[in-house]
Amino acid sequence: MEACKSIMLARVIFFAAVTAATLAVILLPLLSPVPRKSAEDQSGPRLALSFYIHPPSVGSRPHQQASPHGNSAFVFRHELREGPANTSRVIGRARGVVVPAQRAADKLSAFNIVHVALDTPPYSGSLSVEARRVGRRAREELVVVGGTGAFAFARGFAAFAATGGAIYHLDLRLRFPADPPTIPG
């Protein structure tokens, strides 16, 4: 009888200890005095840019079609301008290779990269924009996967829309890390 009471007491103590430990694990983060950052604070500064992609000036080749293994690719070098008019100031260049999704295997989608280089006093640097699914839609959603210079460590989204003719509008929504990593060197 005495042995049964000691086993029951041991079980009660064991379950009480497990319950107390579980409550501590659950309640400690909730009642911690350490301030928590909101998602907005963690993402750092944001930047919105908008410009137009124009075909290159007369005399240079605007693009070419390549045909690796039966698939076509669009290779281009265009000018970035402040506005849709041909007289708008040139602020950079856009280069890229795009393989249309309906003809490409999934492994080729990694090549759908647009490299945007800006050369203006406040924004000098480049951005890499990945076109994951490219079709023949009037508006494409793209992903910004990195940058250099003023755009170092940038992430975000880009909207690419045809405005008429061979001119496209590129609208960028960028975010930067609050604490950018340092590169040893």
Side-chain angles (χ1 to χ4, degrees), residues 12-13 76 94 100 106 111 153 156 158-159 161 163 165 176 179 185:
V12 169
I13 292 172
F76 63 92
D106 289 339
F111 293 109
F153 307 107
T163 61
F176 299 88
D179 299 320

Coordinates of all heavy atoms in Angstrom, one line a residue, residues 12-13 76 94 100 106 111 153 156 158-159 161 163 165 176 179 185:
V12 N 2.4 12.2 -9.9 CA 1.8 13.6 -9.7 C 2.9 14.6 -9.8 O 2.8 15.6 -10.5 CB 1.0 13.7 -8.4 CG1 0.7 15.1 -8.1 CG2 -0.2 12.8 -8.4
I13 N 4.0 14.4 -9.2 CA 5.2 15.3 -9.2 C 5.7 15.4 -10.7 O 6.0 16.5 -11.2 CB 6.3 14.9 -8.3 CG1 5.8 15.1 -6.8 CG2 7.5 15.7 -8.5 CD1 6.7 14.5 -5.8
F76 N 17.8 41.3 -75.6 CA 17.6 42.7 -75.9 C 18.6 43.6 -75.1 O 19.1 43.2 -74.1 CB 16.2 43.1 -75.6 CG 15.8 43.0 -74.1 CD1 15.9 44.1 -73.3 CD2 15.3 41.8 -73.6 CE1 15.6 44.0 -72.0 CE2 14.9 41.7 -72.3 CZ 15.1 42.8 -71.5
A94 N 18.8 48.8 -70.0 CA 18.2 47.5 -69.6 C 18.7 46.5 -70.6 O 18.6 46.7 -71.8 CB 16.7 47.6 -69.6
P100 N 10.4 32.5 -73.5 CA 9.0 32.4 -73.2 C 8.6 31.1 -72.5 O 9.1 30.0 -72.9 CB 8.4 32.4 -74.6 CG 9.4 33.1 -75.5 CD 10.7 32.7 -74.9
D106 N 11.2 23.9 -67.6 CA 11.3 24.6 -66.3 C 12.7 24.9 -66.0 O 13.0 25.9 -65.4 CB 10.7 23.7 -65.2 CG 9.2 23.7 -65.3 OD1 8.6 24.5 -65.9 OD2 8.7 22.7 -64.7
F111 N 17.1 31.6 -66.7 CA 17.7 32.5 -67.6 C 16.9 33.8 -67.9 O 17.3 34.7 -68.6 CB 18.0 31.8 -69.0 CG 19.1 30.8 -68.8 CD1 18.7 29.4 -68.9 CD2 20.4 31.1 -68.5 CE1 19.7 28.4 -68.8 CE2 21.3 30.1 -68.4 CZ 21.0 28.8 -68.5
F153 N 21.6 44.8 -52.1 CA 20.7 43.9 -51.3 C 19.2 44.2 -51.5 O 18.4 43.8 -50.7 CB 21.1 44.0 -49.8 CG 22.6 43.7 -49.6 CD1 23.4 44.7 -49.2 CD2 23.1 42.4 -49.7 CE1 24.8 44.5 -49.0 CE2 24.4 42.2 -49.5 CZ 25.3 43.2 -49.1
G156 N 12.2 43.0 -54.0 CA 11.0 43.6 -54.2 C 10.3 43.0 -55.4 O 10.5 41.9 -55.9
A158 N 8.4 44.1 -59.4 CA 8.4 45.0 -60.6 C 7.2 44.6 -61.4 O 6.9 43.5 -61.6 CB 9.7 44.8 -61.4
A159 N 6.6 45.7 -62.0 CA 5.5 45.5 -62.9 C 5.9 46.0 -64.3 O 6.4 47.1 -64.4 CB 4.2 46.2 -62.4
A161 N 4.8 46.7 -68.1 CA 3.5 46.8 -68.9 C 3.8 47.5 -70.2 O 4.6 48.4 -70.3 CB 2.5 47.6 -68.1
T163 N 3.1 50.0 -73.2 CA 2.4 51.3 -73.2 C 2.0 51.6 -74.7 O 1.2 52.5 -74.9 CB 3.3 52.4 -72.7 OG1 4.4 52.5 -73.5 CG2 3.6 52.2 -71.3
G165 N 3.4 50.6 -79.0 CA 4.6 50.5 -79.8 C 5.6 49.6 -79.2 O 5.3 48.5 -78.6
F176 N 14.8 47.3 -48.7 CA 16.2 47.0 -48.4 C 16.2 46.5 -47.0 O 15.4 46.8 -46.1 CB 17.0 48.3 -48.5 CG 17.0 48.9 -49.8 CD1 16.0 49.8 -50.2 CD2 18.0 48.6 -50.7 CE1 16.0 50.3 -51.5 CE2 18.0 49.1 -52.0 CZ 17.0 50.0 -52.4
D179 N 19.4 46.0 -41.6 CA 20.9 45.8 -41.3 C 21.5 45.1 -42.4 O 21.6 43.8 -42.4 CB 21.0 45.1 -39.9 CG 20.4 45.8 -38.8 OD1 20.5 47.0 -38.7 OD2 19.8 45.1 -37.9
G185 N 36.4 41.8 -46.9 CA 37.3 42.0 -48.1 C 38.3 43.0 -47.9 O 38.9 43.7 -47.4

